[in-house]
Amino acid sequence: MTAGGTIFEYDREATRAAHLNLVAGADLCTCAGCRNFRLVRESGIYPPDFLLLLNSLGIDFRKEEEVYTLGDVKDGRMLYSGWFYFVGSLPKPPKMHRVFMPDVGHIACGIAETGPAPHEAFAGHPTIAVDFMVYAPWRLAEPYE
């Protein structure tokens, strides 16, 4: 597959099978940032082009490996970052490869071969990740601390 000029290989079915055994990173955490992310995850924070990319790779958008906040709430929104693992490989040495999403102004994503060890559901498979940064509305009644 080619995305944003980056060529990589992937196994959609192996990724889908691994995602069946995952619990999303935000679902494991009780901090305010993750609780807010769980609230807004399915409310359209990811643009359609990004969801299509995830789906084509076999990634369940509800099962990010990790998600974390990048600062304070500004203008009623929080900047989040995180990543989704999938079964695949890059033909080049490990480094970040940016995937540019045309006409999508509120998300940045990339394909990366580096990062923390993936969930055990991916054991025995080569993995790479889709990393992302996205603004999401702050919907919790409590302030972010």
Side-chain angles (χ1 to χ4, degrees):
M1 172 181 244
T2 300
T6 300
I7 299 170
F8 57 94
E9 296 179 3
Y10 69 101
D11 184 331
R12 185 175 194 270
E13 294 311 312
T15 299
R16 286 173 54 95
H19 274 252
L20 290 175
N21 297 312
L22 291 179
V23 176
D27 293 342
L28 297 173
C29 183
T30 60
C31 79
C34 285
R35 287 186 288 120
N36 183 73
F37 191 81
R38 287 193 300 268
L39 267 176
V40 301
R41 183 194 287 140
E42 296 190 47
S43 68
I45 64 169
Y46 295 129
D49 288 347
F50 184 68
L51 291 173
L52 282 172
L53 173 65
L54 295 181
N55 185 54
S56 70
L57 297 172
I59 296 171
D60 181 343
F61 79 91
R62 296 168 198 90
K63 295 187 176 183
E64 68 285 334
E65 180 75 16
E66 180 66 58
V67 66
Y68 54 93
T69 60
L70 290 167
D72 297 327
V73 176
K74 290 186 173 92
D75 300 322
R77 300 183 311 157
M78 171 67 76
L79 180 60
Y80 285 93
S81 187
W83 56 88
F84 297 91
Y85 282 114
F86 64 99
V87 176
S89 61
L90 288 164
K92 296 180 179 183
K95 68 178 203 175
M96 181 63 63
H97 295 273
R98 280 283 155 218
V99 176
F100 296 101
M101 308 290 286
D103 304 315
V104 177
H106 68 282
I107 192 164
C109 74
I111 305 295
E113 197 168 22
T114 58
H119 187 276
E120 62 190 33
F122 289 99
H125 295 287
T127 56
I128 51 180
V130 173
D131 76 333
F132 66 91
M133 288 176 48
V134 66
Y135 281 100
W138 189 261
R139 297 278 165 81
L140 291 181
E142 67 192 78
Y144 176 75
E145 295 184 27

